[in-house]
Amino acid sequence: MSTKAYPSIRMRRLRRDAFSRNMVRETSLSAANLIWPVFVIEGERRTQAIASMPGVERVSIDILIERAREAASLGVGAIALFPVIESAKTPFAGEAYNDNGLVPRAVRALKAAVPDIGIITDVALDPYTSHGQDGIMDDTGYLINDETVAVLVKQALTHAKAGVDFVAPSDMMDGRVGAIRQGLDGAGFIHTKIIAYSAKFASAFYGPFRDAVGSAGNLGKSSKETYQLDFANSDEAIRECALDVEEGADMLMVKPGLPYLDILARVRDEFKMPVAVYQVSGEFAMLKAASANGWLDYKKCLMETLICFRRAGASAILTYGAVDAARWMKGES
Ligand code: PBG
């Protein structure tokens, strides 16, 4: 300890009173930074609980509109749509680019009913494939990159035609961001933004999500390690981001969140552009499970994680707790 610093310097002076703690707080969070991932199903007035994600439900479009209205009134920035496709799964995922499919219908309905919330759609084939992988497979079970990317472009165009704000390619195929940008521009959708899942790791924390969209059963024991990043790698994540920047991504994303704050901080530092982070289903499930046991305080821990994401450099945070957090920030319980 430097005896020169102490006792003249006492770090605790500024921490003594609430006003001075608040004055020097370095990081802020607002509802506008939050993106709420939601699961959509066919039908009317339908809701389904998801066992591994307490408090999260799959909902039909009519109910989604009511929930989106509430999220918008709380100032939540955007909604990210994830379809649960109950039939029509095939090896070639043709339903992914059906202009009248569940996602385009949800986008049109939301845009008409709740125009002030941003809409993000996932561009990936896993909800639509009979094998649960994010692409078209060859005879050996390997996902064929370029054939898959061609389908992703069609899928993105379907979403753009429906009026989506952001398409979010989430499958880690090579060259997808550039191909989608070209496809969108070629069709005149120059304003449709791309938020790229650039640093998406092959993570076991996606487990509850795969239950939620019903791809877990289709996937079986197979993994996504031939396309998603190895969680031991950091330089490779930076390279992926650099490529997506060059290919025209408007925003980058790091996923999962909490175990990957080092990647998030590096990406923000390296590219000086907006980066989102995804607090994924498994992270959410851990908070919920521990708080259900009385071991953690869900509210306090959720808010802490969100501030920590902002501190590490995130502009936007995808979290299943978006509406909870927005309510608490407004002083509601
Ligand atoms: C798939 C996709 C996944 C998530 C979002 N999009 C799962 C996966 O890659 O298997 C995970 C989200 C979460 O766990 O909350 N395109």
Side-chain angles (χ1 to χ4, degrees), residues 82 122 124 126 134 170 197 200 205-206 209-210 224 228 255 278-282 320:
F82 293 97
D122 206 55
D126 54 311
D134 297 30
S170 73
Y197 284 74
K200 176 169 178 177
F205 285 98
Y206 306 150
F209 175 96
R210 292 177 191 170
K224 299 192 174 185
Q228 297 177 347
K255 177 185 176 189
Y278 200 143
Q279 180 173 49
V280 300
S281 56
Y320 299 96

